[in-house]
Amino acid sequence: MSVAVYPGSFDPITNGHVDVIKRGAKVFEKVVIAVGDNPAKKALFTKDERVEMIREVVRSLRTVEVDAFDGLVVDYVRRQKAQVILRGIRTISDFEYEYQMALTNRTFAGDIETVFVMAHEEYSFVSSRFIKEAASMGGDVSSFLPREVEKRLKAKFKK
């Protein structure tokens, strides 16, 4: 079975992420969305909240699973008996970062491949960071997020 792991912080998951998940699900028999913490970022949602949101969003995708992880992505990929890390690319700067990360992962685990999926052009400028900033100032971010996520984001900023 071909299994791909799509790791990320997904804080929150966006329509761009969902696009990559759906594209990956067409290529691989199973896609595991692996929710982790990025030490360089302060998360708005807890890891458990992110896992719960993502499960709501992808519940209709039968070949997609959602899980949380800690530690190195390549170690998690091995535990899942997967062969591939799935990553989305929006821009040239994404490619540069992702290329460096793929080479680093290859150093740790030469048997695991990284596969890049181009996000649809309508999502090429969408980032969780910008969405959170706009939402915190009352901006309408509904076109960038699944409805379930938008509700939770609004509730988070009402507090």
Side-chain angles (χ1 to χ4, degrees):
M1 174 183 267
S2 63
V3 179
V5 173
Y6 181 28
S9 54
F10 305 104
D11 186 41
I13 188 168
T14 68
N15 289 336
H17 293 127
V18 175
D19 179 56
V20 171
I21 293 163
K22 288 179 178 178
R23 289 168 186 267
K26 289 179 184 176
V27 176
F28 299 98
E29 293 173 279
K30 177 176 155 184
V31 174
V32 178
I33 304 167
V35 181
D37 287 319
N38 183 335
K41 299 177 182 177
K42 184 181 181 317
L44 177 63
F45 292 97
T46 68
K47 194 183 302 181
D48 288 340
E49 288 173 321
R50 288 177 273 150
V51 167
E52 188 178 313
M53 276 191 288
I54 296 168
R55 284 186 177 142
E56 285 178 37
V57 169
V58 301
R59 70 179 166 266
S60 66
L61 302 174
R62 294 176 313 136
T63 62
V64 175
E65 296 177 8
V66 184
D67 194 17
F69 81 101
D70 292 304
L72 291 175
V73 169
V74 292
D75 292 338
Y76 179 81
V77 171
R78 282 196 176 119
R79 286 194 303 273
Q80 290 297 311
K81 297 183 178 19
Q83 308 79 26
V84 173
I85 297 171
L86 176 66
R87 298 298 296 160
I89 301 286
R90 297 168 300 180
T91 63
I92 295 296
S93 59
D94 276 357
F95 177 77
E96 290 177 12
Y97 172 81
E98 294 295 343
Y99 181 72
Q100 290 174 341
M101 186 61 64
L103 291 177
T104 302
N105 286 335
R106 185 183 293 164
T107 300
F108 290 122
D111 56 320
I112 296 172
E113 293 295 333
T114 300
V115 173
F116 299 112
V117 175
M118 297 299 297
H120 192 277
E121 57 272 5
E122 83 180 273
Y123 306 118
S124 64
F125 62 93
V126 176
S127 82
S128 296
R129 184 179 65 127
F130 293 146
I131 289 169
K132 286 185 288 191
E133 286 177 16
S136 73
M137 294 181 257
D140 178 7
V141 294
S142 60
S143 63
F144 307 121
L145 300 169
R147 191 169 39 247
E148 305 92 336
V149 176
E150 179 195 7
K151 289 178 188 174
R152 287 182 182 230
L153 187 63
K154 283 181 179 178
K156 195 64 103 164
F157 286 120
K158 281 185 179 177
K159 292 180 181 179

